[in-house]
Amino acid sequence: EPVAQTAAACCSLVELVIRSCAFGAPGRSERTKAFFFRLGPGGVPAPAADGVRELLAGHPAVADSRLVGDFVYVVREGTQDASKGPSLLGGASVQEWELKEFLTVKMVKQGFAPNCIPAVRFIDALPCTTVPFTILHVFDALFSEVDRGRTGKISFQEFTDFCRERDLFSSTASEAHDVFFSSVSRPSTSCYLFGNNNDMFQTQDFEVSKNELKFYEFQKLLTESGIIELTSLPDQGGVQAPRASYFVDERVVDVVLRRWFSTYDADADGLLHFDEYTRMVADYKLNFAVCQEAFRRLDKKGLGGLDLDEFRALLEEADILQTGSSVHKDDEIGKLWREIEETQTFLPPSRVVVADARKGVAPPRPEGALRFVCISDTHGAHRQLSSRMPAGDVLLHAGDFSMAGGLEEVVDFGRWLSSLPYAHKIVIAGNHDLSFDKSYGGHHAKGGDTDAKAVRAAFAAACGEGAGVVYLEDQEHTLEGIRIYGSPWQPEFGYWAFNLPRGAALAEKWGAIPEGIDILMVHGPALGRGDAVLPSLKHVGCADLLNEIQARIRPKFLVCGHMHEGAGVTFDGTTHFVNACSLDEQYDLVYMPLVFDFPIPGGARKS
């Protein structure tokens, strides 16, 4: 009480030196820990950022944290760079309530009341600047706008109401529904990408009332759909750039602007006065003159201060804020897809079925045909598929049979292949199969564990002679007159294997594929064909591949993987585009094998 009274009487920040026992076993000598306090509501001391950060640093799952207002934003171990795979510390699996309990225990020991403990929110990365309004505040402003029940979570009804009011995710009647359920970490289904009436995998639909978006999921939805983005500024010829710059979709920018404006409108009179303007110029290091004359020029309405519209104009002129519609902010691939989309034919797929051996759903194979069973992107989970593999003649695997091409996982995959009853097993590599790319030198490699020559030799030995395993890499293979061609390349994707830049390099690979191929196996999909990513539904496939397929090669089937969300089939009237991914975007085994029958040329099946 004396401390609180002194703090309330003297200043808004008080340094309290608290003597406490060191964390750990009883009996250790006491040490002095300095914590800085700010005054909370009613003059009650509340923890400041340094103290909370120090306490959370003691948890093995916490990589970093920052206290902002009533929330502490936490970056978990293993989430800073998703391309590096899961953390050995299990940081990505820790829950908000666990860290809240951890923090509560520590802070109560330091003398804080339980109602002073900040809530925990997860974030992928903390802003590198300490300006008063950061990307965290942008996310919080929108989250608070949608969370109208103030529950700390966003219900399906709240989300769809907000989307309807703001005209977000409205290109189809079900888009908001699909985006919501893909963001709550539920298994996605082919209906997200191919229509609600064509959920060929028949995965479970989840009850609306039991699903809610947490802050972490919501901020990922905003960034992955392009609604919010922390932008990089171009070189300004030696002129100092602002300390932060954001893209905010025009349809929600008013929500962000109101919160941002209130950060500087200290007297809450709806105007940004000269002293408040001066503070903002200093915070963001803006190239604006700090004088009354310059300020009067910005005050175009002569109100004695900047209103919300003039504040926005200031942000845009300073390159702190960029606005527009996220749908028009696509990269070149998105723009190209919009140009050709109307030329594309989408017919109901007629020759491909889902086949789960446990249910016996595959129809009988017709006489004079070979049955092809398609899988892809098993990522080391191939043995989970064993009981589900339907009967057939030929297995096609379109790559990513491993997580990183390590010796042990590749050898196990080879042994599994050799154990399968198919007469022929045709395999290509994918971007995760590092050891099969002889030129790979990226940071995912693990020394000798991914040495191309050694791992390939071990794979061949594990498959064994006479098992019918064929590995294709820019090669053709013929089975009973049916021509099959396999190629592992895809447009550049992170720092993985078999990457080539879009344009001439990839076009050369596709141009080498002979005409008249019956079945084409590639790892990455063609543009617009099983290549959309959730939640933005942006297309990431290869335009040159699509052009070669439809204009020259014209195969009956294209079998691919790579984009887990795109699992399923589309048909353009000539080619069935089969995305045969087995795992969903959460790396859970969700999708069953896809099966098609191909008539043997001449009609008589050979022995």
Side-chain angles (χ1 to χ4, degrees):
E1 287 180 0
V3 171
Q5 292 167 2
T6 302
C10 297
C11 61
S12 61
L13 290 176
V14 183
E15 180 179 355
L16 296 179
V17 181
I18 299 177
R19 286 196 169 274
S20 62
C21 290
F23 306 136
R28 291 184 181 178
S29 61
E30 288 189 347
R31 66 183 177 93
T32 301
K33 297 180 67 69
F35 283 85
F36 292 87
F37 286 74
R38 59 183 173 84
L39 292 183
V44 178
D50 289 343
V52 173
R53 187 168 184 261
E54 181 178 340
L55 292 175
L56 281 172
H59 195 290
V62 176
D64 201 359
S65 65
R66 184 177 301 176
L67 181 66
V68 179
D70 296 326
F71 300 95
V72 58
Y73 293 86
V74 173
V75 178
R76 293 168 289 176
E77 286 286 355
T79 59
Q80 305 98 306
D81 184 355
S83 67
K84 295 180 181 178
S87 168
L88 295 177
L89 295 173
S93 63
V94 72
Q95 300 297 312
E96 290 100 330
W97 66 267
E98 295 177 79
L99 290 185
K100 177 70 179 289
E101 289 296 319
F102 175 85
L103 192 57
T104 298
V105 170
K106 298 295 184 183
M107 291 182 65
V108 167
K109 285 184 178 179
Q110 300 299 328
F112 289 101
N115 60 358
C116 293
I117 313 301
V120 175
R121 284 176 171 176
F122 291 143
I123 197 83
D124 280 333
L126 295 172
C128 56
T129 61
T130 55
V131 291
F133 195 84
T134 67
I135 192 71
L136 300 179
H137 297 85
V138 175
F139 291 139
D140 180 65
L142 289 168
F143 187 85
S144 300
E145 182 75 12
V146 185
D147 177 23
R148 294 169 182 175
R150 300 295 180 262
T151 62
K153 298 176 182 179
I154 295 173
S155 69
F156 174 75
Q157 189 63 53
E158 288 172 331
F159 180 77
T160 52
D161 287 347
F162 182 75
C163 290
R164 184 173 57 255
E165 294 165 5
R166 300 281 171 167
D167 195 28
L168 295 171
F169 306 115
S170 58
S171 61
T172 66
S174 63
E175 185 178 357
H177 169 281
D178 299 341
V179 167
F180 181 88
F181 283 103
S182 72
S183 300
V184 292
S185 301
R186 299 297 190 182
S188 63
T189 70
S190 57
C191 70
Y192 293 158
L193 304 178
F194 306 120
N196 283 333
N197 294 324
N198 190 28
D199 177 11
M200 66 185 307
F201 292 101
Q202 295 296 305
T203 52
Q204 181 181 359
D205 193 11
F206 296 90
E207 292 184 39
V208 170
S209 61
K210 294 184 179 179
N211 289 276
E212 297 169 317
L213 278 177
K214 298 179 181 178
F215 179 86
Y216 177 73
E217 297 162 339
F218 182 69
Q219 62 88 22
K220 285 185 73 68
L221 183 158
L222 293 176
T223 53
E224 291 177 4
S225 60
I227 293 174
I228 301 295
E229 184 179 341
L230 184 62
T231 61
S232 57
L233 294 172
D235 182 21
Q236 301 188 19
V239 178
Q240 181 175 269
R243 295 178 64 186
S245 181
Y246 313 106
F247 171 85
V248 181
D249 192 292
E250 180 68 36
R251 294 166 290 184
V252 299
V253 71
D254 62 302
V255 177
V256 176
L257 280 171
R258 288 196 300 270
R259 176 72 69 85
W260 203 339
F261 187 82
S262 67
T263 303
Y264 286 94
D265 183 17
D267 55 7
D269 66 347
L271 293 175
L272 190 73
H273 298 287
F274 178 71
D275 59 331
E276 297 162 340
Y277 159 80
T278 300
R279 181 162 62 93
M280 181 176 175
V281 170
D283 286 341
Y284 289 92
K285 297 183 178 179
L286 304 182
N287 292 299
F288 282 79
V290 182
C291 63
Q292 291 286 355
E293 182 179 352
F295 184 70
R296 281 194 293 271
R297 285 198 297 269
L298 293 171
D299 180 16
K300 300 183 186 301
K301 298 179 181 179
L303 301 174
L306 309 185
D307 65 8
L308 190 60
D309 293 334
E310 292 168 327
F311 178 73
R312 172 177 176 168
L314 170 65
L315 296 176
E316 292 177 343
E317 185 178 347
D319 285 329
I320 304 178
L321 176 67
Q322 303 169 46
T323 61
S325 177
S326 55
V327 72
H328 298 304
K329 201 171 169 291
D330 279 344
D331 56 18
E332 292 303 313
I333 301 305
K335 294 175 183 176
L336 178 58
W337 173 247
R338 289 199 300 276
E339 291 174 4
I340 69 170
E341 185 175 10
E342 291 185 359
T343 70
Q344 292 297 301
T345 300
F346 289 86
L347 300 174
S350 58
R351 296 178 60 183
V352 183
V353 297
V354 178
D356 184 344
R358 298 170 304 174
K359 301 179 180 179
V361 295
R365 175 179 54 78
E367 288 294 326
L370 288 182
R371 170 153 293 179
F372 289 80
V373 177
C374 308
I375 58 175
S376 183
D377 293 74
T378 49
H379 292 286
H382 41 269
R383 294 192 180 275
Q384 296 180 39
L385 273 170
S386 296
S387 63
R388 314 178 190 199
M389 299 297 290
D393 303 297
V394 186
L395 173 68
L396 303 179
H397 194 301
D400 275 6
F401 44 80
S402 68
M403 282 300 295
L407 178 62
E408 183 176 345
E409 57 182 344
V410 170
V411 166
D412 187 67
F413 175 67
R415 290 171 178 162
W416 180 73
L417 279 180
S418 66
S419 72
L420 297 176
Y422 306 106
H424 309 277
K425 302 120 182 182
I426 303 177
V427 180
I428 64 171
N431 59 290
H432 277 261
D433 306 318
L434 308 180
S435 50
F436 282 72
D437 185 350
K438 299 175 182 177
S439 63
Y440 182 75
H443 70 267
H444 296 293
K446 301 176 182 177
D449 190 44
T450 52
D451 176 74
K453 186 176 181 180
V455 175
R456 282 187 182 225
F459 174 71
C463 292
E465 295 184 8
V469 178
V470 176
Y471 172 73
L472 296 180
E473 188 174 312
D474 300 319
Q475 295 168 298
E476 181 179 343
H477 184 71
T478 302
L479 283 177
E480 300 195 26
I482 301 171
R483 300 176 63 190
I484 305 167
Y485 190 96
S487 180
W489 304 96
Q490 80 269 314
E492 283 183 316
F493 182 76
Y495 298 97
W496 295 96
F498 296 108
N499 275 347
L500 284 175
R502 296 180 187 271
L506 268 176
E508 182 180 355
K509 292 293 184 183
W510 310 141
I513 301 172
E515 295 183 22
I517 291 296
D518 297 307
I519 302 172
L520 177 58
M521 297 176 66
V522 294
H523 183 58
L527 179 61
R529 302 287 174 170
D531 69 329
V533 293
L534 294 167
S536 66
L537 299 182
K538 290 182 178 179
H539 295 278
V540 296
C542 182
D544 288 321
L545 176 60
L546 179 69
N547 181 63
E548 287 285 349
I549 289 170
Q550 294 184 332
R552 185 181 64 83
I553 306 170
R554 300 177 67 80
K556 296 296 187 295
F557 297 91
L558 175 132
V559 181
C560 69
H562 190 41
M563 306 315 300
H564 297 197
E565 304 100 307
V569 185
T570 66
F571 180 45
D572 67 359
T574 298
T575 302
H576 281 80
F577 294 81
V578 180
N579 183 327
C581 283
S582 300
L583 306 188
D584 69 358
E585 67 273 16
Q586 306 296 329
Y587 284 70
D588 293 326
L589 181 60
V590 172
Y591 308 120
M592 297 303 102
L594 295 169
V595 168
F596 63 83
D597 298 314
F598 201 105
I600 298 172
R605 186 177 183 188
K606 302 174 184 177
S607 62

